[in-house]
Amino acid sequence: MAKGRPRAFDMDEALDQALKLFWTKGYEGTSLSDLTQAMGISPPSLYAAFGNKEGLFRRALDRYMNEMSGVCGVLNAPTARGVAEAMLYGAADIDPENPPGCMLVQAALSCSDASEAVRQELIGRRKAGEDALTERFARAVREGDLPPTANPATLSRFLTAVVQGMAVHAASGVGREVLVDIAGATLQAWSALVDTGMSAQDRAAE
Amino acid sequence: MAKGRPRAFDMDEALDQALKLFWTKGYEGTSLSDLTQAMGISPPSLYAAFGNKEGLFRRALDRYMNEMSGVCGVLNAPTARGVAEAMLYGAADIDPENPPGCMLVQAALSCSDASEAVRQELIGRRKAGEDALTERFARAVREGDLPPTANPATLSRFLTAVVQGMAVHAASGVGREVLVDIAGATLQAWSALVDTGMSAQDRAAE
DNA sequence: TTCTTTTTTTAATAATCACTATATAAACCG
DNA sequence: CGGTTTATATAGTGATTATTAAAAAAAGAA
């Protein structure tokens, strides 16, 4: 079984503490002494378990994606509109247990050159989410749930932008009511977005 | 007139360089050596002219608000829809001269405790922009430009969220076409948002 | 010129950053 | 028991952080 001295801290609990810090203060705003203090471990233990600060961040980020995000579940909603509803109200439903805002936006929207790899990782994860959403809307078109004239990429971009804007609002400390208001407004506009033949880009070009 | 040794650098040019750095890397991501190097001055000159890093940031932020932002002009559009168009296409129209994204979102969405004052300042400026927009839409209701049933606060929140989401997209490096697409989609949805009696919040409560 | 004022240059400050060398402690195996 | 392995604790590493002390330089005023 286990050889050598057993680890004295719980891996998941420690990752949760690290995640909370990165989520609140961002990657660069969180120092190693912040981390060791909150995780209740010493620097050598941290480095033995996670390699370095960036390794710890990536593990915390994985945990964020697996635990928090109902993103996977969101895409399983039966209709495109249901997907939009789930995403928007998910973004509005801030849990007092967790930091406000979205980890993918909060952690490193800007940073020094030293952390560019982390920033790129977050950009990639945001793009992956948007791409998955685009594919979900394309499926909705194929299934007849959305009209053949609907533009999956445009819908996905728009919805992602609104959710990210809600994340900025949440990070600013606005209340749940404000976020629900934005979500509701977006849903109210949803059908007008769906029922068009041209992409908004094409319309603008005329 | 001027007494003492004259300043050897141009104040506005130096501020532009500082602004570009803060805008790209954020407040904490920009180091003093980054700043002195880009501004072409030595640390004591920087401190004599601006007090400290935060003082320099605030001056650069003021310059950003005065120079870049057509925000003041945007509110002068004749109609509420015109205001929305100007904001959205303004957010889409990324200037290759300037860093992508919005300084108010980019500079310190998250940070360490040491920079909390800067973060709060940015939150306040974002809120001021949203409040001004709300007042502009309220005026549109009074003038009959928007129906009396329109909710100025909801419209303002929604529009601000979209623009902030576009800023996140821009910071991720997406091209102009993508931003224009989001702007167009939002405008397409605009009339559906305006023509409602209840706030989206009220609708959600039913 | 000399005095005063302000800026510049050079060099250094204490504090914090991420990270680690060394030694000890705690488990399993034989 | 001794030997191996892994994690811990203590203490420190060099690099970088924002900031500044001290002196020289460049202007106007007397």
Side-chain angles (χ1 to χ4, degrees), chain A residues 34-48:
Chain A
D34 287 338
L35 290 165
T36 53
Q37 185 177 336
M39 300 164 82
I41 67 179
S42 61
S45 294
L46 189 154
Y47 279 82

Side-chain angles (χ1 to χ4, degrees), chain B residues 57-137:
Chain B
F57 176 80
R58 297 190 121 96
R59 293 285 300 273
L61 182 56
D62 287 338
R63 189 161 171 82
Y64 173 80
M65 300 297 273
N66 289 340
E67 292 241 330
M68 315 302 171
S69 134
V71 163
C72 320
V74 157
L75 296 181
N76 292 335
T79 64
R81 188 189 175 85
V83 170
E85 276 179 15
M87 280 197 63
L88 289 164
Y89 287 117
D93 192 23
I94 47 179
D95 180 353
E97 293 284 313
N98 294 125
C102 168
M103 169 81 166
L104 295 185
V105 175
Q106 197 85 352
L109 193 57
S110 65
C111 62
S112 76
D113 298 336
S115 308
E116 182 60 20
V118 166
R119 189 176 143 263
Q120 289 298 330
E121 169 78 30
L122 291 166
I123 290 177
R125 300 233 188 184
R126 290 197 298 265
K127 174 151 180 18
E130 190 172 304
D131 289 348
L133 191 59
T134 302
E135 173 50 33
R136 176 64 186 83
F137 287 147

